[in-house]
Amino acid sequence: MNRNQLTRRSVIVGATGLAFAGGLVGLRRLERNPTMATLLRSAEFVTERTQRALLSSGALAREYGEGDISPVFLANGTTDPTDPVYRDLALDKFINWRLEVSGLVGKPAVFSLDDLRAMPSRTQITRHDCVEGWSCIGKWKGVPLAEVLRRTGVEHAARFVVFHCADELEQTLDGSGRYYESIAIADVFHPQTILAYEMNDRPLPVSHGAPIRLRLERQLGYKMAKYVMAIELVASFAHIGRGRGGFWEDRGYEWYAGI
Ligand SMILES: Nc1nc2c(c(=O)[nH]1)N[C@H]1C(S)=C(S)[C@@H](COP(=O)(O)O)O[C@H]1N2
Ligand SMILES: [Mo]
């Protein structure tokens, strides 16, 4: 997917929000109107409108019951990061771990695991679909990403949220094998977009991304970054990794992995 398509998709997300909120104006007409197209790109507009639109339950991924939880949930990709800083943090049960939030935010901030646990939480039982062809149902508890970003503020120019992870999935000399992912600002305000710190009623295990991992229930597994160490809000991800918005995107996968 090239940058033009990304821009277009963001505009469509914004326009959909407006169409849902107002119910009056045609999507096509909005997109053709250059003033409206510019307006739709402003983060403030997108967040406000899409938040309303996405709160409609029709947009939620299916949620399951306790009885549907998979007895074994596969772990994929990195399951035990070797990074020495991460290993030290894990030894101390992540007491010294801090989530760094930076970039196009009103006020950069760091949050401890306790800080995140003290924020409002959401619990959801959902199906995880890996692009490799397996699915598992699990229960996730965490803080909505929107709650975290509400505390830092989001600048108008921010269009993507980038998640920087602790693990290097591919050993490279230039460090480009480190796992990262990115999502659109609009996805932040989907109610099921959470930073999960519990899985199946227990602290998130290392194999599944301790201390926090992203859950983004309407997209494929590779979008759901494990071992999140830092969150960066950006206008473009062209300068990060190999420029395609994620570890697997840099290796050919789609940036928008909707299911
Ligand atoms: N940091 C990090 N996040 C990651 C991966 C990874 O290797 N490293 N693998 C991804 C892929 S392909 C999938 S399917 C899921 C696997 O999550 P699980 O191990 O909890 O099943 O995590 C995703 N997030
Ligand atoms: Mo995956």
Side-chain angles (χ1 to χ4, degrees):
M1 179 178 291
N2 64 35
R3 298 256 345 265
N4 285 341
Q5 282 171 293
L6 284 183
T7 305
R8 190 178 146 75
R9 192 182 295 279
S10 303
V11 170
I12 291 170
V13 169
T16 308
L18 183 74
F20 283 179
L24 294 169
V25 236
L27 190 58
R28 290 253 162 71
R29 202 151 55 92
L30 275 178
E31 278 190 86
R32 274 201 307 262
N33 177 331
T35 317
M36 191 52 84
T38 308
L39 185 57
L40 289 172
R41 273 190 212 105
S42 109
E44 186 184 43
F45 186 91
V46 171
T47 54
E48 187 191 320
R49 300 295 166 155
T50 49
Q51 187 171 15
R52 265 185 240 163
L54 294 174
L55 281 172
S56 72
S57 62
L60 292 181
R62 180 174 169 192
E63 295 197 9
Y64 295 78
E66 299 271 345
D68 301 314
I69 294 173
S70 303
V72 176
F73 198 111
L74 296 178
N76 202 28
T78 303
T79 53
D80 195 10
T82 53
D83 177 74
V85 174
Y86 178 87
R87 293 198 81 91
D88 279 353
L89 293 169
L91 272 180
D92 292 332
K93 297 211 167 1
F94 301 104
I95 290 172
N96 298 315
W97 172 89
R98 295 291 180 274
L99 175 68
E100 208 180 288
V101 185
S102 68
L104 299 173
V105 292
K107 191 168 57 107
V110 289
F111 300 101
S112 69
L113 207 44
D114 281 348
D115 292 336
L116 298 180
R117 286 175 180 275
M119 293 179 197
S121 71
R122 189 179 202 280
T123 302
Q124 57 208 30
I125 301 176
T126 52
R127 197 186 67 203
H128 177 105
D129 296 316
C130 173
V131 72
E132 290 166 15
W134 56 271
S135 299
C136 289
I137 293 175
K139 180 177 182 179
W140 306 97
K141 180 182 178 185
V143 55
L145 182 54
E147 287 289 343
V148 177
L149 295 183
R150 187 165 294 149
R151 283 155 178 80
T152 62
V154 174
E155 283 188 9
H156 288 195
R159 291 186 52 215
F160 305 102
V161 182
V162 180
F163 302 87
H164 297 282
C165 306
D167 58 312
E168 244 180 296
L169 191 50
E170 188 184 305
Q171 305 290 328
T172 60
L173 288 177
D174 63 358
S176 67
R178 191 166 282 270
Y179 207 91
Y180 76 102
E181 257 302 338
S182 62
I183 66 173
I185 283 284
D187 282 330
V188 170
F189 296 93
H190 185 277
Q192 290 169 320
T193 301
I194 64 172
L195 296 175
Y197 46 71
E198 269 183 33
M199 177 189 190
N200 297 340
D201 298 313
R202 303 207 144 141
L204 185 66
V206 166
S207 56
H208 294 286
I212 59 158
R213 68 98 51 86
L214 177 68
R215 294 300 309 172
L216 179 75
E217 305 296 354
R218 295 181 315 166
Q219 295 200 40
L220 288 169
Y222 63 85
K223 297 297 293 184
M224 297 192 234
K226 308 196 282 188
Y227 319 111
V228 176
M229 304 297 279
I231 291 178
E232 185 187 4
L233 274 70
V234 296
S236 155
F237 46 66
H239 63 290
I240 298 170
R242 297 178 194 166
R244 297 190 171 270
F247 176 91
W248 283 115
E249 288 85 336
D250 283 342
R251 290 155 181 82
Y253 287 20
E254 289 283 312
W255 178 78
Y256 187 81
I259 39 178

